[in-house]
Amino acid sequence: MRFDTVVRGGNVVTPRGTSVADVGISGEKIAAIGPDLEASPATKLIDATGHHVIPGVLDVHVHLELPFCGTVSADDYRTGTRAGARGGVTTLIDFAIPYANDSLAQAADNWMAKAEGKALIDYTFHICITRYNEHRDQIKGMVDRGFTTFKEFMIYESEGWQSDDRALFGTLEKMKEYGTMLLVHAESSRVLDELIARHHTPELMKQYGARLHRMTRPNFIESEAIQRVVTWSEVTGGQLYIVHMSTAEGTEIVKAAQKRGVPVLAETCAQYLVLDDSVFDRDDGHLFACCPQLKKPADSERLWQGLKGGEVSVISTDTCTFNRDQKAMWEGDWTKIPMGMPGLETLMPVTYTHGVLKNRISLDEMVMKLCTNPAKIMGLYPRKGAIEVGADADIAIFHPNTTMKVECATMETNADWSPFQGWDLAGFARTTLSRGEVIVDDYAVVGKEGRGQWLPRTSAGLKG
Ligand code: URP
Ligand code: ZN
Ligand code: ZN
């Protein structure tokens, strides 16, 4: 067999096991995996000796150029996808959100336009249902157009995004009917609003500053909402995916529900695994405001266990970059902090360094949570998510121990700060291939913007 490229002699992680092997690539696809693959004079050879060779990472929770909290998130499809590629990410899924009177189709068109000509890696969108009465009859059309995952928010009334129980229940019924999946941001809006109102006084803001973010979002804000929407999934049979789960209590609820056979899956994000809410004691603590907020070390520990145990299926980032000048909009009032942080570039390095190198999860388990599970759950497998013959040749190659310091000035993200600033992390991609093309070489982005493709889908969830 003739190969355009052979990745030579790396420690290759495949669904059938991990071993030293070559990966042969023809066109955009993986054509062979095995020892000593034959190369012609025209074959490009990539030496992976002493390196891990894993499938390209899928970050299935990303917000690029998102209008939110009175500003627009600072990584767009150019900087965001370049950042991802440097961290071994070859596929991302963003959220297409309808603004003003937009239909679901218009929201998708708007997000297509953001990505067009800029994306370096492949992408698709979860379609957000923000006005259930109008949007419910548009869901089927979006499924026919190749979108199989939908999203509802249980908070963000002021953004015009909030869904009530009737909408969640009705949308889950439709998910059951179409074999599609509903992603839910689960937080309890009314009680959250009440806690915020009780604390929103000049005296308390002066005394506690950004610590009020932690004080107004106790764990039950998330767990009550997860419990409620899990009930709607249980009674409708509609597939449910809890996004950015941050609490031990939420993890327990998901585990118990899965045991009962409820079709619920959960993701967490890298920041919930390695950071905790003590950051709000820092002088720049307001930078770390995100939603849901960071929790306690015990929550992180339970989430790691959930990854190991299986109740947490995916690690993503919820990338929603706001720079220091945007975060400064808070002026001492924590309710005005744009919520979100950068993450695409550091997803794999943080997971590898703090998960695999600290023996919390194995390399194979990392690949499952960053690549194979997200691809399967989001309807992109077997095209994405595994090093297998016939799959897209999306590959990340990294050295097991070479570390780099997180320093925004030298990174691809448009962020001027990082939650992991100054951390030494292994797991940055030395080489990233996307559909057979080298887009990161020797840690530098070499791929051209606009080469990324939209990925149509026909299924979602483990039952899709
Ligand atoms: O703080 C966050 N997560 N910002 C993005 C919006 C969301 O809820 O995912
Ligand atoms: Zn959210
Ligand atoms: Zn999000």
Side-chain angles (χ1 to χ4, degrees), residues 28 87 115 133 187 203 207 238 262 285 296 330-331 342 377 410 453:
E28 299 193 340
N133 287 345
E187 287 191 290
E203 298 74 31
Q207 188 175 354
V262 182
K296 305 284 182 216
W330 82 304
E331 293 178 327
I377 291 166
T410 61
Q453 292 181 357

Side-chain angles (χ1 to χ4, degrees), residues 248-326:
E249 291 88 336
T251 314
E252 290 300 340
I253 292 166
V254 167
K255 182 180 178 179
Q258 288 173 343
K259 223 169 154 190
R260 295 198 301 278
V262 182
V264 58
L265 297 165
E267 75 174 11
T268 190
C269 304
Q271 57 270 29
Y272 301 117
L273 293 167
V274 297
L275 295 172
D276 64 71
D277 65 5
S278 63
V279 293
F280 293 110
D281 295 327
R282 291 170 42 154
D283 288 344
D284 63 355
H286 68 287
L287 295 177
F288 292 80
C290 60
C291 186
Q293 65 140 47
L294 300 167
K295 302 297 193 305
K296 305 284 182 216
D299 294 293
S300 307
E301 228 25 74
R302 183 65 189 88
L303 290 164
W304 280 116
Q305 279 171 20
L307 287 162
K308 196 89 193 155
E311 56 267 32
V312 183
S313 301
V314 171
I315 310 173
S316 67
T317 62
D318 196 8
T319 291
C320 192
T321 304
F322 293 112
N323 276 325
R324 286 172 186 275
D325 60 335
Q326 295 174 296

